[in-house]
Amino acid sequence: MMKRIALFLTIGLLASAFSSCVVLSPKKYKALLARQDSLNTGWSGSQQSNASLEKTIAKLKQDTADLYGRLNELQGKYDEVGGNYAKLKSNSSSEISKLSDDLKKREQRLKEVEEVLRKRDEASNQLKEKLQQALLGFSKSGLTVEMKNGNVYVSLTDKLLFPSGSIVIDEKGKQALTQLAKVLKEQPEIIIAVEGHTDSQKINNLGQIKDNWDLSVLRSTSVVRFLTETEKVPGVRLTATGKGEFQPLEANTTPEGRSKNRRIEIVLSPKLDELYELIKK
């Protein structure tokens, strides 16, 4: 288009020249040719610039299309992440709610267990006081009553119950066990464990009693037999065990220490059926 315009301009100039004079001078003719060359050169430059612009525009269009594609891809990933976050948040809220409910249930059970233990300790203290009153007259003979770990321990030295090296309860020992049985029969919910203990000295010339295991067991069964057969404490409430020399109260290096280690311990425990049921849950 530009080339045609330049040609028309050239023809117009020539026509104008011919109309003003019949013959052009060499100088004007050369000027007209130079003008034509200049217009041709301008047209060529314009064509090159136009082609460059078209390439730039085409590249910009492609880049724009790529950007839109990338934007759509990122939007898809964003939507996916948003969906996952919403799902995670919903699940987390549900888990937190569940954990909160579980924690409340555990706290309630803990309170129930604490209440059972409180009742146990209260009952044990009451039992200890009753036993101390009932057995007050035997405290100087080697009988003690104390509470450990929620249980009441009645400890009787061997000299209070048995002659030396014997498994037969003497009269003073029977009196102490009779007073003990009176309290135990008033407390049917109490479980009774009778434990025999000895010192570390070896057994010599005691017939059927071969060692400290035998002596501790036979002495504990003698006490259980007296409580059940003579004092009529239900046998279902009692157990008899022998500990031998292996749970001493003091070192066996002195006569006094060995004397304290030779003992019968009667361990009284409140029934904890309610506590066991709570633990099972």
Side-chain angles (χ1 to χ4, degrees), residues 10-21 24:
T10 301
I11 294 171
L13 289 172
L14 291 174
S16 177
F18 278 116
S19 63
S20 60
C21 61
L24 292 174

Side-chain angles (χ1 to χ4, degrees), residues 60-73:
L60 288 173
K61 288 182 178 180
Q62 183 60 46
D63 290 345
T64 302
D66 292 341
L67 287 173
Y68 274 114
R70 181 61 177 162
L71 178 62
N72 290 333
E73 181 182 352

Side-chain angles (χ1 to χ4, degrees), residues 27-44:
K27 185 178 180 179
K28 288 186 177 181
Y29 178 73
K30 287 180 180 180
L32 288 174
L33 290 177
R35 179 61 176 166
Q36 181 181 4
D37 292 338
S38 176
L39 289 174
N40 288 336
T41 300
W43 166 250
S44 297

Side-chain angles (χ1 to χ4, degrees), residues 264-276:
I264 290 290
E265 282 192 343
I266 301 175
V267 185
L268 308 176
S269 307
K271 288 184 179 180
L272 296 177
D273 295 343
E274 185 178 357
L275 178 60
Y276 296 148

Side-chain angles (χ1 to χ4, degrees), residues 61-195:
K61 288 182 178 180
Q62 183 60 46
D63 290 345
T64 302
D66 292 341
L67 287 173
Y68 274 114
R70 181 61 177 162
L71 178 62
N72 290 333
E73 181 182 352
L74 291 174
Q75 183 65 45
K77 290 184 178 181
Y78 174 80
D79 293 340
E80 181 180 357
V81 170
N84 291 336
Y85 173 75
K87 184 178 180 181
L88 180 61
K89 184 178 180 181
S90 176
N91 291 339
S92 298
S93 299
S94 177
E95 289 296 325
I96 291 172
S97 178
K98 183 180 179 181
L99 288 173
S100 178
D101 291 341
D102 289 343
L103 181 60
K104 289 179 181 178
K105 291 178 181 178
R106 289 175 184 271
E107 289 177 348
Q108 180 60 33
R109 288 181 183 174
L110 180 59
K111 289 180 181 179
E112 293 173 355
V113 170
E114 289 175 344
E115 178 62 17
V116 171
L117 293 176
R118 186 193 66 78
K119 290 180 180 178
R120 181 203 66 176
D121 291 342
E122 183 179 337
S124 296
N125 277 317
Q126 292 176 355
L127 177 61
K128 176 188 172 185
E129 292 175 3
K130 289 182 180 180
L131 289 170
Q132 286 176 329
Q133 291 296 322
L135 302 171
L136 185 62
F138 301 95
S139 59
K140 294 182 179 180
S141 301
L143 183 149
T144 60
V145 181
E146 60 180 338
M147 195 168 81
K148 294 185 293 185
N149 302 321
N151 299 323
V152 178
Y153 284 72
V154 180
S155 181
L156 306 97
T157 59
D158 67 333
K159 65 182 180 181
L160 175 61
L161 292 174
F162 304 100
S164 180
S166 174
I167 62 172
V168 180
I169 303 172
D170 62 20
E171 288 304 316
K172 192 170 185 179
K174 290 180 180 178
Q175 292 175 11
L177 292 175
T178 297
Q179 294 300 317
L180 175 64
K182 288 181 180 178
V183 177
L184 295 180
K185 285 188 285 188
E186 294 173 355
Q187 306 287 332
E189 73 284 356
I190 298 299
I191 300 172
I192 308 161
V194 180
E195 299 177 353

